[in-house]
Amino acid sequence: MADWSSDPEEVERHIERSRRELARAVDELADRLSPRNVAHRGVERVKEEADQVVKAFGALVRPSDDDEDGQGGVDKRVLLAGVGAAVTVTALVLWRRRRKRR
């Protein structure tokens, strides 16, 4: 560290540089934490997850022999496993929340 006590101009430059850095950091935090931006990021995350779910269900769809239009159908075992997993996860989350309240 420099000896700023002998050079007041250097001390002033350092203080001004620190103020600019602090102001930039505060502005960045305010932007990151603004409700509008938080909501926007949440919406984007939900859209991305929805796209992944659609792609996953697209992978589950397969042509069926008894399907006349060739559109295919969802494998019922896979669908039931997915529903069962969703119910299990939901029950686990609700159980943990209830335990935390006590």
Side-chain angles (χ1 to χ4, degrees):
M1 255 182 149
D3 184 17
W4 294 328
S5 59
S6 62
D7 188 7
E9 291 176 4
E10 180 66 27
V11 171
E12 288 178 15
R13 285 193 295 269
H14 178 71
I15 291 172
E16 187 57 36
R17 185 175 35 232
S18 296
R19 283 182 182 162
R20 283 193 308 266
E21 290 173 3
L22 181 60
R24 186 175 25 244
V26 168
D27 289 343
E28 186 178 314
L29 281 172
D31 184 54
R32 189 180 302 168
L33 297 175
S34 76
R36 177 180 288 172
N37 291 342
V38 170
H40 180 70
R41 284 192 304 270
V43 167
E44 290 301 317
R45 190 176 311 127
V46 168
K47 284 180 182 179
E48 290 172 6
E49 290 178 9
D51 286 342
Q52 290 177 356
V53 168
V54 168
K55 288 177 184 176
F57 274 115
L60 296 176
V61 174
R62 58 178 171 79
S64 178
D65 294 337
D66 59 346
D67 193 11
E68 293 179 12
D69 61 0
Q71 294 294 319
V74 176
D75 185 354
K76 290 181 182 178
R77 292 174 294 175
V78 174
L79 183 60
L80 286 174
V83 169
V87 168
T88 302
V89 168
T90 302
L92 181 62
V93 168
L94 292 174
W95 176 71
R96 289 189 70 189
R97 282 185 183 174
R98 182 176 278 180
R99 272 187 48 197
K100 286 183 180 180
R101 289 183 187 165
R102 290 181 184 176

